[in-house]
Amino acid sequence: DPDLVVSTAAHVLGVREIGQRSPLEAVTDAIAMSARPLLLVLDNFEQVLGAAPLVTALLEGCANLKILVTSRAVLRVYGEHDFEVPPLAVPALAARPTLDMLARSPAVALFVQRAEAVKSGFTLDASNAAAIAEICARLDGLPLAIELAAARVRMLTPAAMLQRLQHSFELLTGGARDLPARQQTLRATVEWSHGLLTPEEQTLFRRLSVFVNGATLEAVEAVCNAKEDLGIDILDAVDSLVGQSLVQRAEPADQEARFTMLEIVREYARQQLAASPDETLMRRAHAAYCLVLAEESQTHSTPEDRARWMARCDLELNNFRAALDWAERTPEAEWGLRMAGALTPYWVAREAYTEGHERLVSLLALPSAGTQPASRLTAMYSAADLLQHQSRFDQARAFYEQALALNREIAAAPATLARGLTGLAVLELRTGRFDSARKGFDECLALARATGSHGETARALLNLAQVLHAEGDLAAARGRCEAALATLRSLRETSALAWAEMQLGDLAAEEGDSRSATTHYESALATFQSSGEIAGVARALLDLGVLAARQGDHPRSRSLLSRALGHYRELGHRVGIARAIDGFSRSALLRGQHARALRLAAAADGIRQGVGAPLFAQEECARTIQLDEAREILGASAAAIEREGRAMHPNDAMAYAQDDGDGT
């Protein structure tokens, strides 16, 4: 799908979408801010030629980027240098080459290498050299074709193979006349290999094409033999396909082995599936398997389980996309809604907000997506959450309000209602509508207490504390936080406990109690470090750095802020990077470096503008008050300094923040 090229690149590069930036802007910014040169490889691009303009856009936006594209067709874009990759050199048979000359032929060498891998003791000798050389010549030196042929030495001698190959090619010369000669040869070789499979192996082969980016053995068994009609042992059959080079085996780090097909082989298998009565069954079984995998997230109770699920989703992303595409095209939109709703935690964690909300909105618009109100409700909440992460508040509010109306209409479970109330209340808090936010969190608290959920009670108290803090009622906010903290300690919920400590630290810092604030922040930092929650570590270091600046300990402040900035940069959290640069701005202001403080604050604003994630209303108000003093002191030059800061590249802003220089 050409529309997914940039999103896929973002996923592979670990780039996260934030705010209202497009995936292209996110990838371009991430590559451009990297301090090292980058080579981006786009393989099999002939399938997505519609995305060719994106290649030019990336190159224009990233001076440190080179792109290597493999494709059966040129892209025809500006800046393209076309290098034809020739096949391997084959022996000149008319010259009657010696055995030594044949051994040095790249095509023959590949055949022998692959034959040795499948048949121990295989060697090139006088009895088989001529047949091998002719096989390589008939296959035009195409590496994949040679590999497929060499895999047959377990069953056929090179002479017998040559005889069968000649016969197959004679039968196949009438097809695909619009394809280049090499592709006809390659297709013929795949078809020849397919013809040598048993009928049961042929069935498995075509059914495997339903997977995109491969599958585990468990998935193959669940999908390809859903009705237990293959009549063969799946493990043995897959092993046979691997041995014949029609399927490859890969072992991702800390994951089950996966079985994949080269794209040209999968394309042929997919055509075989489309021409068989199996296709509808396979598409449905594949979607069902993906749905079960997506909904596993709802049963995970430990961070380890969630981490394993996230890693599995990384590998299965293209399978999820294929299953969602199928659901949109069939009467099974309900499955698509359930799958997309269940995948929302994955999209949020990977900051793939655009892809997530577009999927949900597209599915929600289908007439067949309204048969199960519970699935529709979850999808609406998920779409609202994803839109809020992009700071698209008006659209998010509309989804929350529609979903809450549906929630009350169908009398959904209290936990589902609490999800919607919390999401909407957080949105109201972020946009400065404190009365509405407090009412929403109060209702969440009442629900949690009525259902006896102590964890949800604690979270509602912490949310209420944020509203009270924003309104300036610090004593009341502290009371809510301390009540929540006591509950979370009894429940041993470490992550929530650490964030509660952070809130108490913020309150103490605002009251001028630096000792208490330090204690809370350091306690949270230790918890985050022990649990490996890097975003929490960065935030605790940042708050400790700002606190040290308030205390006049500027060397310690600079060290802490630099560590925080390093973590945010490592995570690719551009909002976090902006927050850390704001911390350096605050430190400069406390040191009387007014121009530096104003320039850094403007640079942070520039980063936020690029990701569409403005400061919360109360944060913006507090920072404006702090910076107005600097603007007054600098006078007419303040505006120019702010323009300069907003125009800074994120890399330059980070370097400037960490280098005191002469203090200007």
Side-chain angles (χ1 to χ4, degrees), residues 281-613:
L281 171 65
M282 287 302 99
R283 297 291 179 194
R284 187 177 179 84
H286 177 258
Y289 182 82
C290 290
L291 176 59
V292 170
L293 179 59
E295 291 186 335
E296 279 184 8
S297 64
Q298 298 166 10
T299 65
H300 295 155
S301 58
T302 67
E304 293 78 9
D305 287 340
R306 288 190 289 274
R308 279 192 291 270
W309 179 77
M310 292 287 294
R312 180 70 184 276
C313 287
D314 286 335
L315 293 172
E316 304 294 357
L317 181 58
N318 285 329
N319 278 314
F320 288 132
R321 287 168 170 167
L324 288 166
D325 286 342
W326 174 83
E328 286 191 44
R329 296 192 304 267
T330 68
E332 300 296 347
E334 197 69 40
W335 284 16
L337 274 185
R338 286 172 55 190
M339 194 185 311
L343 285 172
T344 298
Y346 173 78
W347 280 321
V348 169
R350 296 295 186 254
E351 293 182 341
Y353 308 127
T354 300
E355 180 177 354
H357 95 256
E358 286 181 352
R359 280 287 188 185
L360 287 158
V361 170
S362 178
L363 285 160
L364 284 165
L366 296 175
S368 56
T371 57
Q372 296 295 326
S375 300
R376 187 172 185 83
L377 181 61
T378 299
M380 292 171 73
Y381 281 144
S382 296
D385 292 344
L386 290 162
L387 287 163
Q388 181 170 186
H389 278 289
Q390 294 180 291
S391 300
R392 298 169 71 168
F393 298 125
D394 290 341
Q395 292 171 275
R397 182 179 287 109
F399 266 107
Y400 281 128
E401 290 172 348
Q402 292 172 34
L404 285 167
L406 177 60
N407 198 317
R408 293 186 168 97
E409 178 185 331
I410 66 173
T416 307
L417 178 59
R419 175 185 176 182
L421 289 169
T422 299
L424 181 57
V426 168
L427 187 154
E428 303 291 40
L429 173 61
R430 293 184 69 182
T431 53
R433 298 169 65 169
F434 302 139
D435 286 343
S436 297
R438 185 170 53 255
K439 289 176 183 176
F441 290 138
D442 277 334
E443 191 170 350
C444 289
L445 181 60
L447 275 173
R449 285 172 170 167
T451 57
S453 175
H454 299 300
E456 292 305 313
T457 297
R459 275 179 270 277
L461 287 169
L462 291 174
N463 286 329
L464 279 167
Q466 289 190 59
V467 180
L468 291 165
H469 187 172
E471 293 178 318
D473 192 346
L474 303 186
R478 190 187 318 104
R480 302 294 194 284
C481 281
E482 288 171 346
L485 194 66
T487 299
L488 292 169
R489 280 178 177 148
S490 67
L491 297 174
R492 297 182 180 179
E493 292 197 15
T494 55
S495 180
L497 184 65
W499 286 109
E501 291 273 17
M502 291 292 292
Q503 280 188 246
L504 283 167
D506 292 343
L507 290 165
E510 190 155 335
E511 292 174 319
D513 187 351
S514 298
R515 178 177 296 181
S516 179
T518 300
T519 299
H520 286 300
Y521 289 149
E522 289 182 343
S523 175
L525 176 61
T527 302
F528 287 136
Q529 287 173 329
S530 65
S531 64
E533 193 170 342
I534 304 302
V537 169
R539 183 58 186 271
L541 289 169
L542 172 57
D543 287 353
L544 282 166
V546 172
L547 187 63
R550 287 179 179 174
Q551 295 172 304
D553 191 346
H554 294 292
R556 181 169 185 266
S557 172
R558 184 169 177 270
S559 173
L560 290 164
L561 292 172
S562 293
R563 288 167 61 192
L565 181 58
H567 284 305
Y568 282 129
R569 185 169 188 173
E570 175 189 347
L571 291 169
H573 284 182
R574 291 177 60 91
V575 170
I577 289 171
R579 188 179 290 275
I581 291 174
D582 261 333
F584 280 104
S585 171
R586 177 66 175 148
S587 176
L589 197 62
L590 291 167
R591 297 167 69 181
Q593 299 173 337
H594 299 103
R596 178 180 178 81
L598 205 57
R599 189 177 290 110
L600 284 169
D605 281 342
I607 293 173
R608 289 192 186 91
Q609 183 178 3
V611 299

